[in-house]
Amino acid sequence: RDLHSFPTRRSSDLVFVLSKLDEVKIDIFDLNGKKTNIIQNLPEKLGINRLLINTENLGNGAYLIKYEHSNNIAIKKILIMN
């Protein structure tokens, strides 16, 4: 359920913890609410998972990462500095 991200230049390492196997959906939004990226077909396993997100196609600024899994939703901010 935990989702961690940090300021990034070209990619961001996203870490999340799964307590049960189920579909994972991650979307990236700009601060105006426009969906800029959808990440699908995530490799998943119980416990700690890491996902490298390529941010080179995003402009500088703040974005929101929305994580959905088993009726749990988390939203975190990421700062892009390309």
Side-chain angles (χ1 to χ4, degrees):
R1 286 165 78 153
D2 294 331
L3 182 67
H4 303 282
S5 62
F6 303 96
T8 182
R9 291 202 182 270
R10 291 180 182 83
S11 64
S12 180
D13 190 27
L14 207 57
V15 179
F16 54 97
V17 179
L18 298 180
S19 58
K20 70 177 190 175
L21 291 179
D22 201 354
E23 181 181 355
V24 175
K25 182 179 177 187
I26 297 176
D27 298 316
I28 301 175
F29 297 87
D30 65 20
L31 293 184
N32 293 319
K34 179 183 174 190
K35 192 180 293 188
T36 61
N37 201 356
I38 301 170
I39 301 169
Q40 298 175 330
N41 300 323
L42 299 176
E44 59 182 61
K45 62 181 180 179
L46 290 177
I48 297 173
N49 287 262
R50 292 184 184 276
L51 175 67
L52 184 65
I53 298 176
N54 182 347
T55 60
E56 289 182 339
N57 62 335
L58 300 174
N60 290 341
Y63 293 84
L64 300 175
I65 298 175
K66 180 181 176 186
Y67 160 88
E68 295 181 66
H69 175 264
S70 299
N71 298 323
N72 293 311
I73 296 175
I75 298 176
K76 299 292 180 180
K77 187 186 285 187
I78 186 172
L79 184 60
I80 308 290
M81 299 179 297
N82 288 330

